[in-house]
Amino acid sequence: QVQLVESGGDSVQPGKSLKLSCEASGFIFLIYTMEWYRQVAGGQRQLVAKAPPLEKAEYNDSVKGRFTASRDNTKRTFYLQMNDLKPEDTAVYYCHAKWRETDVWGQGVQVTVSA
């Protein structure tokens, strides 16, 4: 079965850190571009970070310097380390995998940042 399973979502205080994980199965993880998106209630799904197989990760300007996306091709897992979280980071975070015409979405995890 082709699927992505996210974990690590939680409710935290501003300034705290959180690490999301995306475990992949059912496809050749190594050749896929992995991405993290987020979507606020009533808003559009926004690209947060992108990690091609053989290139450095790219980030949305709103998270540069605070978030780090990384992939472990051996463990078939994609991560998003989130530091210095802010209330505006509150959203549902989705893992996405893409290769040619094939793409897979995770179910999403809620991240809430509030005092």
Side-chain angles (χ1 to χ4, degrees), residues 10-52:
D10 205 352
S11 295
V12 299
Q13 303 296 307
K16 298 297 183 180
S17 297
L18 204 59
K19 186 174 184 178
L20 304 182
S21 296
C22 173
E23 184 176 350
S25 63
F27 61 95
I28 306 175
F29 183 80
L30 178 64
I31 66 175
Y32 277 67
T33 289
M34 301 300 299
E35 302 172 321
W36 284 103
Y37 281 78
R38 67 185 181 187
Q39 184 172 19
V40 300
Q44 298 294 316
R45 192 167 295 187
Q46 177 188 54
L47 180 65
V48 176
K50 179 179 182 179

mmCIF file of all heavy atoms in Angstrom, residues 10-52:
data_model
loop_
_atom_site.group_PDB
_atom_site.id
_atom_site.type_symbol
_atom_site.label_atom_id
_atom_site.label_comp_id
_atom_site.label_asym_id
_atom_site.label_seq_id
_atom_site.Cartn_x
_atom_site.Cartn_y
_atom_site.Cartn_z
ATOM 1 N N ASP A 10 1.207 18.498 17.818
ATOM 2 C CA ASP A 10 0.889 18.739 19.217
ATOM 3 C C ASP A 10 0.512 20.192 19.429
ATOM 4 O O ASP A 10 0.576 21.002 18.503
ATOM 5 C CB ASP A 10 2.099 18.384 20.081
ATOM 6 C CG ASP A 10 1.734 18.026 21.512
ATOM 7 O OD1 ASP A 10 0.557 18.188 21.889
ATOM 8 O OD2 ASP A 10 2.630 17.580 22.251
ATOM 9 N N SER A 11 0.127 20.511 20.650
ATOM 10 C CA SER A 11 -0.147 21.887 21.052
ATOM 11 C C SER A 11 0.997 22.341 21.934
ATOM 12 O O SER A 11 1.307 21.678 22.931
ATOM 13 C CB SER A 11 -1.469 21.973 21.814
ATOM 14 O OG SER A 11 -2.564 21.643 20.986
ATOM 15 N N VAL A 12 1.633 23.456 21.562
ATOM 16 C CA VAL A 12 2.794 23.942 22.305
ATOM 17 C C VAL A 12 2.725 25.440 22.515
ATOM 18 O O VAL A 12 1.925 26.143 21.893
ATOM 19 C CB VAL A 12 4.116 23.603 21.585
ATOM 20 C CG1 VAL A 12 4.284 22.097 21.440
ATOM 21 C CG2 VAL A 12 4.157 24.274 20.219
ATOM 22 N N GLN A 13 3.594 25.933 23.388
ATOM 23 C CA GLN A 13 3.683 27.357 23.672
ATOM 24 C C GLN A 13 4.592 28.052 22.666
ATOM 25 O O GLN A 13 5.497 27.424 22.102
ATOM 26 C CB GLN A 13 4.231 27.574 25.082
ATOM 27 C CG GLN A 13 3.432 26.902 26.182
ATOM 28 C CD GLN A 13 2.042 27.467 26.297
ATOM 29 O OE1 GLN A 13 1.874 28.678 26.419
ATOM 30 N NE2 GLN A 13 1.040 26.601 26.252
ATOM 31 N N PRO A 14 4.391 29.328 22.414
ATOM 32 C CA PRO A 14 5.280 30.074 21.512
ATOM 33 C C PRO A 14 6.734 29.963 21.958
ATOM 34 O O PRO A 14 7.025 29.976 23.152
ATOM 35 C CB PRO A 14 4.769 31.507 21.625
ATOM 36 C CG PRO A 14 3.326 31.346 21.957
ATOM 37 C CD PRO A 14 3.286 30.172 22.901
ATOM 38 N N GLY A 15 7.634 29.835 20.990
ATOM 39 C CA GLY A 15 9.047 29.723 21.287
ATOM 40 C C GLY A 15 9.533 28.302 21.477
ATOM 41 O O GLY A 15 10.742 28.052 21.504
ATOM 42 N N LYS A 16 8.627 27.371 21.602
ATOM 43 C CA LYS A 16 8.994 25.969 21.784
ATOM 44 C C LYS A 16 9.299 25.296 20.450
ATOM 45 O O LYS A 16 9.130 25.894 19.389
ATOM 46 C CB LYS A 16 7.870 25.215 22.508
ATOM 47 C CG LYS A 16 7.580 25.744 23.897
ATOM 48 C CD LYS A 16 8.781 25.584 24.808
ATOM 49 C CE LYS A 16 8.456 26.046 26.217
ATOM 50 N NZ LYS A 16 9.603 25.897 27.133
ATOM 51 N N SER A 17 9.745 24.059 20.524
ATOM 52 C CA SER A 17 10.099 23.292 19.335
ATOM 53 C C SER A 17 9.241 22.047 19.200
ATOM 54 O O SER A 17 8.695 21.539 20.177
ATOM 55 C CB SER A 17 11.573 22.882 19.386
ATOM 56 O OG SER A 17 12.428 24.005 19.373
ATOM 57 N N LEU A 18 9.163 21.568 17.976
ATOM 58 C CA LEU A 18 8.385 20.381 17.679
ATOM 59 C C LEU A 18 9.001 19.724 16.451
ATOM 60 O O LEU A 18 9.508 20.417 15.560
ATOM 61 C CB LEU A 18 6.934 20.767 17.410
ATOM 62 C CG LEU A 18 5.828 19.730 17.605
ATOM 63 C CD1 LEU A 18 5.814 19.222 19.042
ATOM 64 C CD2 LEU A 18 4.487 20.357 17.253
ATOM 65 N N LYS A 19 8.960 18.412 16.405
ATOM 66 C CA LYS A 19 9.497 17.694 15.251
ATOM 67 C C LYS A 19 8.432 16.778 14.665
ATOM 68 O O LYS A 19 7.906 15.904 15.349
ATOM 69 C CB LYS A 19 10.724 16.868 15.646
ATOM 70 C CG LYS A 19 11.426 16.215 14.461
ATOM 71 C CD LYS A 19 12.712 15.522 14.888
ATOM 72 C CE LYS A 19 13.465 14.953 13.704
ATOM 73 N NZ LYS A 19 14.752 14.318 14.123
ATOM 74 N N LEU A 20 8.140 16.978 13.396
ATOM 75 C CA LEU A 20 7.187 16.144 12.690
ATOM 76 C C LEU A 20 7.928 15.054 11.921
ATOM 77 O O LEU A 20 9.023 15.270 11.424
ATOM 78 C CB LEU A 20 6.360 16.967 11.713
ATOM 79 C CG LEU A 20 5.591 18.166 12.274
ATOM 80 C CD1 LEU A 20 4.778 18.826 11.160
ATOM 81 C CD2 LEU A 20 4.692 17.745 13.421
ATOM 82 N N SER A 21 7.296 13.901 11.820
ATOM 83 C CA SER A 21 7.866 12.795 11.067
ATOM 84 C C SER A 21 6.857 12.317 10.036
ATOM 85 O O SER A 21 5.648 12.371 10.261
ATOM 86 C CB SER A 21 8.226 11.629 11.989
ATOM 87 O OG SER A 21 9.233 11.992 12.907
ATOM 88 N N CYS A 22 7.368 11.853 8.913
ATOM 89 C CA CYS A 22 6.535 11.321 7.848
ATOM 90 C C CYS A 22 7.162 10.009 7.397
ATOM 91 O O CYS A 22 8.230 10.003 6.781
ATOM 92 C CB CYS A 22 6.454 12.318 6.691
ATOM 93 S SG CYS A 22 5.624 11.705 5.215
ATOM 94 N N GLU A 23 6.513 8.917 7.729
ATOM 95 C CA GLU A 23 7.022 7.600 7.372
ATOM 96 C C GLU A 23 6.383 7.129 6.066
ATOM 97 O O GLU A 23 5.160 7.091 5.952
ATOM 98 C CB GLU A 23 6.735 6.608 8.497
ATOM 99 C CG GLU A 23 7.324 5.231 8.261
ATOM 100 C CD GLU A 23 7.111 4.294 9.425
ATOM 101 O OE1 GLU A 23 6.679 4.761 10.495
ATOM 102 O OE2 GLU A 23 7.379 3.084 9.272
ATOM 103 N N ALA A 24 7.222 6.776 5.103
ATOM 104 C CA ALA A 24 6.746 6.385 3.781
ATOM 105 C C ALA A 24 6.804 4.877 3.579
ATOM 106 O O ALA A 24 7.695 4.203 4.073
ATOM 107 C CB ALA A 24 7.580 7.070 2.702
ATOM 108 N N SER A 25 5.859 4.383 2.806
ATOM 109 C CA SER A 25 5.853 2.967 2.469
ATOM 110 C C SER A 25 5.133 2.757 1.140
ATOM 111 O O SER A 25 4.296 3.561 0.747
ATOM 112 C CB SER A 25 5.175 2.146 3.577
ATOM 113 O OG SER A 25 3.816 2.514 3.728
ATOM 114 N N GLY A 26 5.498 1.679 0.445
ATOM 115 C CA GLY A 26 4.816 1.327 -0.784
ATOM 116 C C GLY A 26 5.365 1.954 -2.059
ATOM 117 O O GLY A 26 4.774 1.774 -3.125
ATOM 118 N N PHE A 27 6.480 2.667 -1.982
ATOM 119 C CA PHE A 27 7.086 3.254 -3.176
ATOM 120 C C PHE A 27 8.581 3.444 -2.957
ATOM 121 O O PHE A 27 9.074 3.315 -1.838
ATOM 122 C CB PHE A 27 6.407 4.577 -3.551
ATOM 123 C CG PHE A 27 6.501 5.649 -2.501
ATOM 124 C CD1 PHE A 27 7.511 6.598 -2.546
ATOM 125 C CD2 PHE A 27 5.568 5.715 -1.470
ATOM 126 C CE1 PHE A 27 7.591 7.603 -1.587
ATOM 127 C CE2 PHE A 27 5.641 6.711 -0.503
ATOM 128 C CZ PHE A 27 6.653 7.652 -0.564
ATOM 129 N N ILE A 28 9.296 3.758 -4.036
ATOM 130 C CA ILE A 28 10.741 3.948 -3.945
ATOM 131 C C ILE A 28 11.022 5.347 -3.426
ATOM 132 O O ILE A 28 11.108 6.311 -4.180
ATOM 133 C CB ILE A 28 11.419 3.720 -5.306
ATOM 134 C CG1 ILE A 28 11.036 2.351 -5.870
ATOM 135 C CG2 ILE A 28 12.935 3.826 -5.162
ATOM 136 C CD1 ILE A 28 11.558 2.087 -7.270
ATOM 137 N N PHE A 29 11.178 5.440 -2.129
ATOM 138 C CA PHE A 29 11.342 6.708 -1.435
ATOM 139 C C PHE A 29 12.481 7.556 -1.998
ATOM 140 O O PHE A 29 12.348 8.777 -2.134
ATOM 141 C CB PHE A 29 11.566 6.432 0.053
ATOM 142 C CG PHE A 29 11.680 7.657 0.908
ATOM 143 C CD1 PHE A 29 10.550 8.333 1.321
ATOM 144 C CD2 PHE A 29 12.929 8.123 1.303
ATOM 145 C CE1 PHE A 29 10.648 9.461 2.119
ATOM 146 C CE2 PHE A 29 13.044 9.251 2.103
ATOM 147 C CZ PHE A 29 11.897 9.921 2.511
ATOM 148 N N LEU A 30 13.584 6.940 -2.311
ATOM 149 C CA LEU A 30 14.799 7.632 -2.744
ATOM 150 C C LEU A 30 14.591 8.585 -3.923
ATOM 151 O O LEU A 30 15.187 9.658 -3.961
ATOM 152 C CB LEU A 30 15.880 6.606 -3.098
ATOM 153 C CG LEU A 30 17.210 7.148 -3.621
ATOM 154 C CD1 LEU A 30 17.900 7.985 -2.549
ATOM 155 C CD2 LEU A 30 18.106 6.004 -4.065
ATOM 156 N N ILE A 31 13.773 8.220 -4.884
ATOM 157 C CA ILE A 31 13.624 9.015 -6.099
ATOM 158 C C ILE A 31 12.521 10.069 -6.029
ATOM 159 O O ILE A 31 12.360 10.856 -6.962
ATOM 160 C CB ILE A 31 13.361 8.111 -7.323
ATOM 161 C CG1 ILE A 31 12.010 7.400 -7.198
ATOM 162 C CG2 ILE A 31 14.487 7.091 -7.479
ATOM 163 C CD1 ILE A 31 11.635 6.596 -8.424
ATOM 164 N N TYR A 32 11.788 10.094 -4.950
ATOM 165 C CA TYR A 32 10.696 11.050 -4.802
ATOM 166 C C TYR A 32 11.147 12.362 -4.186
ATOM 167 O O TYR A 32 12.031 12.391 -3.324
ATOM 168 C CB TYR A 32 9.588 10.467 -3.922
ATOM 169 C CG TYR A 32 8.615 9.565 -4.639
ATOM 170 C CD1 TYR A 32 9.014 8.335 -5.146
ATOM 171 C CD2 TYR A 32 7.283 9.945 -4.793
ATOM 172 C CE1 TYR A 32 8.119 7.507 -5.802
ATOM 173 C CE2 TYR A 32 6.378 9.120 -5.441
ATOM 174 C CZ TYR A 32 6.799 7.904 -5.942
ATOM 175 O OH TYR A 32 5.902 7.083 -6.578
ATOM 176 N N THR A 33 10.530 13.429 -4.629
ATOM 177 C CA THR A 33 10.692 14.717 -3.971
ATOM 178 C C THR A 33 9.710 14.732 -2.807
ATOM 179 O O THR A 33 8.533 14.421 -2.982
ATOM 180 C CB THR A 33 10.378 15.881 -4.924
ATOM 181 O OG1 THR A 33 11.423 15.987 -5.896
ATOM 182 C CG2 THR A 33 10.288 17.195 -4.158
ATOM 183 N N MET A 34 10.199 15.070 -1.637
ATOM 184 C CA MET A 34 9.362 15.110 -0.449
ATOM 185 C C MET A 34 9.092 16.562 -0.065
ATOM 186 O O MET A 34 9.975 17.417 -0.176
ATOM 187 C CB MET A 34 10.038 14.393 0.720
ATOM 188 C CG MET A 34 10.361 12.925 0.455
ATOM 189 S SD MET A 34 8.880 11.941 0.093
ATOM 190 C CE MET A 34 7.951 12.136 1.624
ATOM 191 N N GLU A 35 7.880 16.815 0.387
ATOM 192 C CA GLU A 35 7.473 18.171 0.718
ATOM 193 C C GLU A 35 6.620 18.200 1.978
ATOM 194 O O GLU A 35 5.911 17.243 2.296
ATOM 195 C CB GLU A 35 6.675 18.791 -0.429
ATOM 196 C CG GLU A 35 7.422 18.844 -1.756
ATOM 197 C CD GLU A 35 6.533 19.282 -2.899
ATOM 198 O OE1 GLU A 35 5.354 18.856 -2.937
ATOM 199 O OE2 GLU A 35 7.004 20.063 -3.756
ATOM 200 N N TRP A 36 6.674 19.330 2.665
ATOM 201 C CA TRP A 36 5.761 19.617 3.759
ATOM 202 C C TRP A 36 4.894 20.806 3.360
ATOM 203 O O TRP A 36 5.424 21.828 2.914
ATOM 204 C CB TRP A 36 6.491 19.960 5.056
ATOM 205 C CG TRP A 36 7.091 18.792 5.771
ATOM 206 C CD1 TRP A 36 8.393 18.420 5.797
ATOM 207 C CD2 TRP A 36 6.387 17.842 6.586
ATOM 208 N NE1 TRP A 36 8.558 17.302 6.573
ATOM 209 C CE2 TRP A 36 7.345 16.926 7.069
ATOM 210 C CE3 TRP A 36 5.048 17.684 6.958
ATOM 211 C CZ2 TRP A 36 7.008 15.858 7.906
ATOM 212 C CZ3 TRP A 36 4.710 16.621 7.783
ATOM 213 C CH2 TRP A 36 5.676 15.730 8.248
ATOM 214 N N TYR A 37 3.606 20.657 3.512
ATOM 215 C CA TYR A 37 2.650 21.728 3.292
ATOM 216 C C TYR A 37 1.931 22.009 4.601
ATOM 217 O O TYR A 37 1.940 21.189 5.517
ATOM 218 C CB TYR A 37 1.605 21.327 2.252
ATOM 219 C CG TYR A 37 2.042 21.406 0.803
ATOM 220 C CD1 TYR A 37 2.841 20.427 0.237
ATOM 221 C CD2 TYR A 37 1.617 22.463 -0.007
ATOM 222 C CE1 TYR A 37 3.221 20.492 -1.090
ATOM 223 C CE2 TYR A 37 1.984 22.535 -1.339
ATOM 224 C CZ TYR A 37 2.785 21.546 -1.873
ATOM 225 O OH TYR A 37 3.154 21.606 -3.200
ATOM 226 N N ARG A 38 1.285 23.159 4.673
ATOM 227 C CA ARG A 38 0.419 23.428 5.814
ATOM 228 C C ARG A 38 -0.793 24.215 5.348
ATOM 229 O O ARG A 38 -0.752 24.910 4.341
ATOM 230 C CB ARG A 38 1.162 24.175 6.925
ATOM 231 C CG ARG A 38 1.589 25.595 6.606
ATOM 232 C CD ARG A 38 2.422 26.151 7.755
ATOM 233 N NE ARG A 38 2.839 27.525 7.517
ATOM 234 C CZ ARG A 38 3.684 28.183 8.294
ATOM 235 N NH1 ARG A 38 4.207 27.583 9.370
ATOM 236 N NH2 ARG A 38 4.017 29.439 8.020
ATOM 237 N N GLN A 39 -1.857 24.064 6.087
ATOM 238 C CA GLN A 39 -3.105 24.712 5.731
ATOM 239 C C GLN A 39 -3.810 25.197 6.991
ATOM 240 O O GLN A 39 -4.086 24.413 7.897
ATOM 241 C CB GLN A 39 -4.000 23.739 4.963
ATOM 242 C CG GLN A 39 -5.289 24.330 4.456
ATOM 243 C CD GLN A 39 -6.035 23.365 3.547
ATOM 244 O OE1 GLN A 39 -5.791 22.162 3.569
ATOM 245 N NE2 GLN A 39 -6.929 23.892 2.729
ATOM 246 N N VAL A 40 -4.090 26.482 7.026
ATOM 247 C CA VAL A 40 -4.829 27.051 8.149
ATOM 248 C C VAL A 40 -6.311 26.918 7.851
ATOM 249 O O VAL A 40 -6.728 26.760 6.705
ATOM 250 C CB VAL A 40 -4.469 28.530 8.390
ATOM 251 C CG1 VAL A 40 -2.985 28.663 8.682
ATOM 252 C CG2 VAL A 40 -4.846 29.375 7.181
ATOM 253 N N ALA A 41 -7.121 26.987 8.897
ATOM 254 C CA ALA A 41 -8.564 26.871 8.732
ATOM 255 C C ALA A 41 -9.082 27.933 7.772
ATOM 256 O O ALA A 41 -8.835 29.120 7.962
ATOM 257 C CB ALA A 41 -9.248 27.004 10.082
ATOM 258 N N GLY A 42 -9.763 27.487 6.732
ATOM 259 C CA GLY A 42 -10.324 28.409 5.764
ATOM 260 C C GLY A 42 -9.338 28.962 4.759
ATOM 261 O O GLY A 42 -9.702 29.809 3.934
ATOM 262 N N GLY A 43 -8.092 28.505 4.799
ATOM 263 C CA GLY A 43 -7.071 29.012 3.910
ATOM 264 C C GLY A 43 -6.617 28.021 2.858
ATOM 265 O O GLY A 43 -7.131 26.907 2.761
ATOM 266 N N GLN A 44 -5.642 28.437 2.053
ATOM 267 C CA GLN A 44 -5.082 27.598 1.006
ATOM 268 C C GLN A 44 -3.930 26.764 1.553
ATOM 269 O O GLN A 44 -3.242 27.178 2.483
ATOM 270 C CB GLN A 44 -4.589 28.459 -0.153
ATOM 271 C CG GLN A 44 -5.657 29.280 -0.845
ATOM 272 C CD GLN A 44 -6.664 28.419 -1.563
ATOM 273 O OE1 GLN A 44 -6.302 27.449 -2.244
ATOM 274 N NE2 GLN A 44 -7.935 28.754 -1.416
ATOM 275 N N ARG A 45 -3.730 25.611 0.966
ATOM 276 C CA ARG A 45 -2.604 24.785 1.357
ATOM 277 C C ARG A 45 -1.321 25.430 0.833
ATOM 278 O O ARG A 45 -1.206 25.736 -0.353
ATOM 279 C CB ARG A 45 -2.778 23.371 0.808
ATOM 280 C CG ARG A 45 -1.800 22.364 1.391
ATOM 281 C CD ARG A 45 -2.205 20.939 1.075
ATOM 282 N NE ARG A 45 -3.468 20.571 1.710
ATOM 283 C CZ ARG A 45 -3.982 19.346 1.704
ATOM 284 N NH1 ARG A 45 -3.338 18.363 1.093
ATOM 285 N NH2 ARG A 45 -5.147 19.109 2.294
ATOM 286 N N GLN A 46 -0.361 25.617 1.711
ATOM 287 C CA GLN A 46 0.861 26.345 1.406
ATOM 288 C C GLN A 46 2.092 25.455 1.539
ATOM 289 O O GLN A 46 2.237 24.721 2.514
ATOM 290 C CB GLN A 46 0.985 27.545 2.343
ATOM 291 C CG GLN A 46 2.245 28.365 2.208
ATOM 292 C CD GLN A 46 2.357 29.408 3.298
ATOM 293 O OE1 GLN A 46 2.278 29.082 4.490
ATOM 294 N NE2 GLN A 46 2.528 30.668 2.904
ATOM 295 N N LEU A 47 2.990 25.550 0.567
ATOM 296 C CA LEU A 47 4.243 24.804 0.621
ATOM 297 C C LEU A 47 5.147 25.399 1.692
ATOM 298 O O LEU A 47 5.430 26.590 1.690
ATOM 299 C CB LEU A 47 4.937 24.844 -0.734
ATOM 300 C CG LEU A 47 6.271 24.102 -0.833
ATOM 301 C CD1 LEU A 47 6.069 22.605 -0.634
ATOM 302 C CD2 LEU A 47 6.920 24.371 -2.191
ATOM 303 N N VAL A 48 5.627 24.550 2.587
ATOM 304 C CA VAL A 48 6.502 24.971 3.672
ATOM 305 C C VAL A 48 7.958 24.652 3.369
ATOM 306 O O VAL A 48 8.850 25.480 3.549
ATOM 307 C CB VAL A 48 6.094 24.297 5.000
ATOM 308 C CG1 VAL A 48 7.073 24.658 6.114
ATOM 309 C CG2 VAL A 48 4.677 24.711 5.381
ATOM 310 N N ALA A 49 8.205 23.430 2.918
ATOM 311 C CA ALA A 49 9.557 22.989 2.619
ATOM 312 C C ALA A 49 9.538 21.925 1.534
ATOM 313 O O ALA A 49 8.584 21.161 1.427
ATOM 314 C CB ALA A 49 10.239 22.448 3.873
ATOM 315 N N LYS A 50 10.604 21.895 0.751
ATOM 316 C CA LYS A 50 10.719 20.949 -0.353
ATOM 317 C C LYS A 50 12.107 20.329 -0.347
ATOM 318 O O LYS A 50 13.106 21.039 -0.258
ATOM 319 C CB LYS A 50 10.465 21.681 -1.677
ATOM 320 C CG LYS A 50 10.576 20.833 -2.927
ATOM 321 C CD LYS A 50 10.284 21.697 -4.146
ATOM 322 C CE LYS A 50 10.337 20.897 -5.431
ATOM 323 N NZ LYS A 50 10.014 21.753 -6.601
ATOM 324 N N ALA A 51 12.172 19.013 -0.457
ATOM 325 C CA ALA A 51 13.450 18.308 -0.413
ATOM 326 C C ALA A 51 13.569 17.320 -1.574
ATOM 327 O O ALA A 51 13.167 16.157 -1.450
ATOM 328 C CB ALA A 51 13.616 17.589 0.920
ATOM 329 N N PRO A 52 14.141 17.757 -2.706
ATOM 330 C CA PRO A 52 14.384 16.854 -3.829
ATOM 331 C C PRO A 52 15.429 15.805 -3.447
ATOM 332 O O PRO A 52 16.195 16.022 -2.504
ATOM 333 C CB PRO A 52 14.907 17.788 -4.925
ATOM 334 C CG PRO A 52 14.421 19.148 -4.526
ATOM 335 C CD PRO A 52 14.503 19.143 -3.029
#
